[in-house]
Amino acid sequence: EPFKNFFGLDQGVNVRLGLDYGLTDNWSVGLARTTDGKLYHFRTKYSILQQTQSGSVPLSLSFNGNVGVSTVENFRPFEDDLSYLAAVLLARKINKTFSLQVSPMISHFNSAPIGNEKTLFSLAFGTEIHLGRRYSLIAEYLPVIGEQPGNLSNAFGVGLNIETGGHVFQLFLKTSNWHTEQYMLANNTEKFFDGDIRFGFNVNRLFWLGGKDR
């Protein structure tokens, strides 16, 4: 059935399709779906501060949140399939080449396997190193604060951004096959430096409505 396998996309690799809409210059909302878990997530991001070139505002501060729902048939109550994430994004462009982001975050699952925590905390780190006008290296690390079940490990990934005008292509190597932070924190069992590496790519396209591209 087309809707059960999402028109064939669920029969291949793990695919995420997403759309975000900017309600204002500072606030966006979005909806996305991933193949694994047949997971839908609704997200929002609000920019509170933007770093200025003069240094009067030394960093950028944003809030990011999402609600996820797994639609795999499992015959359990709908509320058990819900998960949540709230994160504060603190980012600073150190110089023309190097940027750093630190993100305290909390995730919660209404239902978790026996032995797993329903609520997890993390202090995530991300960085970007510009190699020129169009290329940059990126990396992220999501360590869980506190105890984890013995089979879980912290998610880590590295990648390459390629800007081509309206598109941004991302090629990356990472441990987790999940696309949302709460699932990365709660379900990652692979270790990057042990060779548990997955290859993937993103294609991002920016559109403007009601006017010319900026």
Side-chain angles (χ1 to χ4, degrees):
E1 297 178 11
F3 289 101
K4 274 196 171 183
N5 62 30
F6 207 67
F7 304 96
L9 287 177
D10 287 350
Q11 296 177 343
V13 298
N14 187 20
V15 176
R16 176 187 178 276
L17 298 174
L19 179 66
D20 292 288
Y21 180 73
L23 299 173
T24 68
D25 288 343
N26 296 330
W27 185 22
S28 66
V29 295
L31 170 65
R33 183 191 187 275
T34 59
T35 300
D36 280 9
K38 297 185 178 181
L39 174 68
Y40 290 84
H41 66 272
F42 307 86
R43 62 183 188 173
T44 185
K45 182 177 181 181
Y46 187 80
S47 176
I48 301 168
L49 295 174
Q50 287 285 342
Q51 181 178 347
T52 58
Q53 291 185 351
S54 66
S56 58
V57 181
L59 52 78
S60 297
L61 172 63
S62 302
F63 169 80
N64 183 36
N66 79 61
V67 177
V69 55
S70 174
T71 60
V72 173
E73 294 182 3
N74 51 28
F75 307 103
R76 65 183 187 178
F78 171 77
E79 57 268 22
D80 284 356
D81 293 322
L82 293 173
S83 63
Y84 315 89
L85 178 95
V88 177
L89 313 180
L90 300 163
R92 176 169 171 77
K93 187 173 184 179
I94 308 299
N95 52 46
K96 292 182 179 179
T97 301
F98 181 70
S99 299
L100 179 67
Q101 179 172 287
V102 179
S103 307
M105 59 181 63
I106 178 174
S107 69
H108 178 79
F109 288 78
N110 282 355
S111 178
I114 295 175
N116 285 20
E117 296 291 335
K118 289 186 177 181
T119 303
L120 294 169
F121 300 89
S122 176
L123 185 63
F125 298 90
T127 187
E128 182 175 18
I129 301 173
H130 286 272
L131 305 177
R133 191 166 64 92
R134 295 187 180 274
Y135 300 94
S136 61
L137 293 175
I138 54 175
E140 66 174 6
Y141 179 54
L142 282 74
V144 172
I145 298 174
E147 293 186 6
Q148 290 177 290
N151 64 325
L152 295 184
S153 61
N154 297 323
F156 176 75
V158 295
L160 175 68
N161 280 352
I162 306 171
E163 298 187 22
T164 61
H167 293 83
V168 177
F169 296 90
Q170 294 178 316
L171 308 176
F172 54 85
L173 302 172
K174 59 185 292 190
T175 55
S176 178
N177 62 319
W178 297 99
H179 294 274
T180 54
E181 289 90 343
Q182 62 261 47
Y183 278 83
M184 291 184 193
L185 296 176
N187 293 305
N188 185 59
T189 59
E190 298 161 328
K191 297 181 180 179
F192 189 90
F193 294 104
D194 286 350
D196 301 328
I197 300 172
R198 298 172 182 270
F199 171 75
F201 67 91
N202 293 327
V203 181
N204 301 294
R205 179 67 170 99
L206 186 63
F207 297 94
W208 286 270
L209 302 178
K212 296 181 179 180
D213 286 1
R214 299 176 184 176

